[in-house]
Amino acid sequence: MRHPSRFLRRLGATAAAATAMVTLLPQAAVAAVVLDDGVVLQSTTGTDHLVTADRPAWAAAAVHSTSNYNISLFDQWGGWLASSYGYGSNRSEFVAVNSHLLPLASYEARTSTSYGPAVAHTQWRQSHTTTTLPYPANDGVTGPSDPDLAFAALGSTQVVSISDIHLKAGEAFWVDTAPDTLFFLLESNPYDNTTRLRSRHQHATAGVVRTAQGCTLYRANHSGVHGLLMVADAAPVATTPPGGTAVALHRYDPARPYTCPQRNFPGPTPPGV
């Protein structure tokens, strides 16, 4: 179970957002169930979900279960587009869509498992925010309220969160987490149509340059609108007060290639170290 995070409460980020929870009776995956942006659906069998990308933004369909659930995305005519699988029990799978480069459209997000009935939580999220990396004004950070930091956040009632971020090729930033845990940098090559849909295993280490001091350094390979995605390897749960997880982002300083300024997050990092 994920516990309340005082840092996320301080930020007042996505953890405070209400999420509708709808329970489906066990059923065969025949008729598609409409899955609205931000809603979490709970089911006990594989289900076909109708999702819609209605804004130019990154979006993602994700599923979590204590069993081994997979998720696949199909176009509106039933043609297979992408799948996420192989992470096993009590992990989350996702397929992300870059609607900055793809036409706005409806999709079918299909969850499935070969392990028999088990509770699965499925969510479709579109980005409604754009994250900006500040240019550092100070040496070191003072803690969660430091203006040199940006944040990605995931509320405890959510399966996935996503935000857009504009990056030029070569721009880099530190994140205070290990790769392929909670945080993913989503990137499309504007000259390669096959990169406009991204799955978890395709982006497990996408953009990763190195790890140091408990942080990961990410670098954009292409200029454009990228996605910042967080996924939970735990079932959604409501907490009192609302909680979740937040990771801090700090723009890379080439003068200190192996120094992560927010490595002590949420505590301060003294200047000059």
Side-chain angles (χ1 to χ4, degrees):
M1 177 180 295
R2 285 170 285 159
H3 299 287
S5 166
R6 63 181 183 276
F7 318 123
L8 188 55
R9 296 199 302 273
R10 183 177 300 179
L11 291 171
T14 56
T19 299
M21 300 292 287
V22 181
T23 301
L24 303 177
L25 295 176
Q27 57 181 322
V30 179
V33 177
V34 174
L35 180 54
D36 291 326
D37 185 5
V39 173
V40 176
L41 289 181
Q42 180 177 306
S43 62
T44 54
T45 63
T47 304
D48 291 352
H49 306 84
L50 179 64
V51 300
T52 300
D54 58 11
R55 54 188 291 112
W58 277 93
V63 63
H64 174 272
S65 176
T66 54
S67 184
N68 183 16
Y69 266 75
N70 307 317
I71 191 164
S72 298
L73 205 66
F74 297 80
D75 64 25
Q76 56 188 319
W77 299 282
W80 175 86
L81 297 173
S83 297
S84 182
Y85 55 89
Y87 276 84
S89 302
N90 212 33
R91 302 291 295 276
S92 295
E93 305 280 1
F94 69 80
V95 175
V97 179
N98 185 353
S99 293
H100 293 282
L101 299 178
L102 286 169
L104 302 184
S106 293
Y107 301 94
E108 180 186 293
R110 182 180 301 169
T111 59
S112 61
T113 179
S114 58
Y115 281 60
V119 175
H121 298 86
T122 307
Q123 187 173 27
W124 167 254
R125 293 289 297 274
Q126 297 184 94
S127 171
H128 293 266
T129 60
T130 300
T131 300
T132 301
L133 290 174
Y135 284 91
N138 303 297
D139 183 12
V141 298
T142 59
S145 61
D146 195 298
D148 289 349
L149 295 174
F151 290 88
L154 179 68
S156 65
T157 60
Q158 313 290 309
V159 179
V160 62
S161 68
I162 194 164
S163 174
D164 287 349
I165 184 170
H166 294 264
L167 294 172
K168 296 178 181 179
E171 285 192 290
F173 58 92
W174 290 100
V175 180
D176 59 321
T177 187
D180 194 21
T181 50
L182 291 171
F183 178 89
F184 299 82
L185 173 64
L186 304 176
E187 182 173 28
S188 295
N189 179 344
Y191 305 104
D192 183 354
N193 293 344
T194 65
T195 64
R196 297 177 182 184
L197 293 161
R198 302 280 80 190
S199 65
R200 178 166 181 166
H201 69 273
Q202 288 173 322
H203 262 62
T205 57
V208 172
V209 179
R210 68 177 67 94
T211 59
Q213 301 176 319
C215 300
T216 303
L217 179 65
Y218 290 86
R219 177 179 292 132
N221 294 308
H222 307 280
S223 297
V225 184
H226 299 59
L228 303 179
L229 183 145
M230 292 187 68
V231 69
D233 281 332
V237 59
T239 61
T240 304
T245 304
V247 295
L249 286 63
H250 192 286
R251 189 178 287 273
Y252 172 69
D253 180 2
R256 295 181 178 177
Y258 297 95
T259 299
C260 175
Q262 72 274 36
R263 63 186 179 276
N264 294 334
F265 184 76
T269 297
V273 297

